[in-house]
Amino acid sequence: MDILLISANREKSPYPVFPLGLSYLAGPLAARGHRLRVLDLCFADDPDAAVSEALLDFMPAAVVISIRNIDNVTFPGSRSYLPGVRKVVDLCRGKAPVILGGSGFSLMPVELLAYLDGDYGVVGEGEEVLPELVASLADGASPRSLPGVLVKGEAGCLPARLVQNIGPAERSHFTVDRYHREGGMANLQTKRGCPFTCIYCTYPILEGNSIRLRPIGEIVAEIRSLVDGFGVSYIYFVDDIFNYPPEFAEELCRAIIAEQLPINWTAFINPAFVTPSLLNAMIAAGCDAVEFGSESGSAQMLRNLGKSFGVEDVRSASRLCREQGADFAHYILFGGPGESEATIDESFSLMDELEPTAVIAMTGIRIFPGTPLHDAALADGVITSRTSLLEPVFYISPPIRETLCRMVTERALARKNWVAPGLEINMSDAMLEALRHFPVRGPLWKLMKRLGRSRVKPM
């Protein structure tokens, strides 16, 4: 069967992100003998024309559209991607059955299948079930019995099935070199699943709460293929938490060192699982920057957000990074349940003490169904049971809802290492374009050391 795979993501801020989810589908489909054409809309000058041309030229028997995100999860500068995705679906409708999937789709699959008017939807990981769905379509059989498969006009689906043997991404159909050149890095996944209970997080919904580890030898081989096959010199490990389990992370680092892979890399890490031994191994393996999902500098807010660590863990991990000379950034989420001016000041005070390379601050927390934050938003009257979450809706602690952005802006502008994307403090599309002229690999926040005073809007 001829199958057109479309990556619908067009967001390039802060940098274009390689469509890893879609690349995981390409291998299993090709292994079943299907002929594939990939259309990546991220770099398309005219996405409508690109879709129409691919449909006419390839004449696929099925179209698979991967939806990475449904919006930019940024307040107050939020923007939805759904109208653009719907246009893609409209162009495909009637040409071939349209199958929707991806992490963004799986957050609200029933609502999105109806809104986008697709024919089928795949909830969760698709490596195993998508080939089965395609086979059922080819045979004229009903896919209703397949786990995680939605059918247009029919209610619900069986629970999605988690993939136990996670294979390597199949990147040969994609422009890896362009993502590396314009985005400054390639991406790679070492595990799936998250056992932690942050109240806003969708990882447990998408990947389950049990960790599934990939074989270390396979991960090292995939890194080698990126280096030798695509000229990659910088990698971002996209795991929710790279350093958990810590023993696995250290073993992987030792394997990278033994293989003498010529790469640098960065990852999100949990401050509760940073030890001198692990950090030394990470740096020796090429890690030159780490990102902490700290979310707050207030002990009370860390508890409210369901974090697995405390303020002292944040202090200790930051101190180790500074002592070892690794750049590090803290991500802060302002506005969660119980946030007040006092807890905001605690976060700024702790960041002043720790002196990270950068602080990336988000105001408001995007509400997704199925999370504890959704329940809190209902209880606090931030939303009602009738509120549509297809459009970006953010939780902001009711007492500071009208003042949060002003308070964060005033404080962040007094500090040169703070970035607040939604408020355009040291972050805007024009500034990102300017920063990309620096010869840098890895996250752009590493360049904060070269910037002068904090500012609103671009330079």
Side-chain angles (χ1 to χ4, degrees), residues 141-389:
S142 171
R144 285 290 300 159
S145 63
L146 296 177
V149 171
L150 289 165
V151 179
K152 180 180 180 179
E154 299 186 18
C157 65
L158 296 174
R161 182 172 65 209
L162 294 176
V163 174
Q164 295 305 313
N165 297 312
I166 305 164
E170 172 53 71
R171 294 178 168 88
S172 62
H173 300 277
F174 301 85
T175 56
V176 178
D177 56 340
R178 184 167 185 180
Y179 278 101
H180 186 252
R181 182 176 66 254
E182 298 188 22
M185 51 191 141
N187 50 6
L188 189 146
Q189 188 174 44
T190 77
K191 67 179 80 71
R192 291 182 192 168
C194 182
F196 300 102
T197 55
C198 303
I199 67 169
Y200 52 84
C201 186
T202 58
Y203 272 97
I205 297 172
L206 297 173
E207 299 184 354
N209 52 23
S210 296
I211 292 181
R212 291 160 289 147
L213 304 172
R214 293 180 60 197
I216 284 178
E218 185 179 281
I219 298 169
V220 171
E222 188 170 354
I223 297 173
R224 172 61 69 186
S225 72
L226 284 168
V227 173
D228 295 344
F230 300 101
V232 167
S233 61
Y234 204 102
I235 287 174
Y236 189 94
F237 289 104
V238 300
D239 308 333
D240 181 31
I241 300 172
F242 174 82
N243 64 325
Y244 188 86
E247 300 83 6
F248 175 81
E250 188 160 347
E251 185 181 353
L252 174 58
C253 290
R254 301 295 178 197
I256 293 172
I257 296 167
E259 188 70 12
Q260 297 182 324
L261 292 165
I263 59 164
N264 289 109
W265 54 272
T266 190
F268 248 99
I269 64 175
N270 184 313
F273 303 99
V274 180
T275 64
S277 174
L278 175 57
L279 189 58
N280 287 338
M282 290 170 60
I283 293 172
C287 177
D288 66 357
V290 296
E291 300 182 330
F292 293 104
S294 304
E295 321 303 23
S296 180
S298 161
Q300 182 60 54
M301 285 307 300
L302 291 178
R303 289 190 293 270
N304 292 356
L305 293 171
K307 305 304 292 184
S308 61
F309 51 81
V311 171
E312 286 309 312
D313 295 313
V314 178
R315 280 198 176 96
S316 174
S318 299
R319 183 178 65 252
L320 286 173
C321 289
R322 195 164 49 249
E323 290 172 351
Q324 295 299 323
D327 285 327
F328 63 105
H330 287 283
Y331 282 73
I332 303 295
L333 288 177
F334 286 116
E339 190 84 89
S340 66
E341 185 167 7
T343 60
I344 290 172
D345 284 334
E346 287 183 89
S347 291
F348 276 94
S349 178
L350 182 63
M351 293 301 109
D352 289 345
E353 173 192 333
L354 302 181
E355 298 182 317
T357 309
V359 181
I360 295 90
M362 308 299 290
T363 49
I365 307 176
R366 175 61 156 103
I367 302 168
F368 289 107
T371 62
L373 182 66
H374 180 260
D375 297 335
L378 287 169
D380 294 345
V382 175
I383 60 173
T384 73
S385 59
R386 295 183 299 277
T387 302
S388 172
L389 296 177

Side-chain angles (χ1 to χ4, degrees), residues 56-119:
L56 182 63
D57 178 56
F58 190 53
M59 298 183 66
V63 177
V64 177
I65 301 176
S66 177
I67 304 168
R68 181 174 179 265
N69 292 311
I70 62 175
D71 57 72
N72 66 343
V73 296
T74 301
F75 181 87
S78 62
R79 56 180 181 269
S80 173
Y81 306 142
L82 293 182
V85 178
R86 184 162 184 167
K87 185 64 178 295
V88 173
V89 176
D90 289 344
L91 291 168
C92 297
R93 188 178 300 108
K95 310 293 194 306
V98 175
I99 304 169
L100 303 175
S103 57
F105 175 80
S106 298
L107 292 173
M108 289 176 271
V110 173
E111 296 88 345
L112 283 167
L113 186 67
Y115 172 81
L116 297 171
D117 198 20
D119 297 302

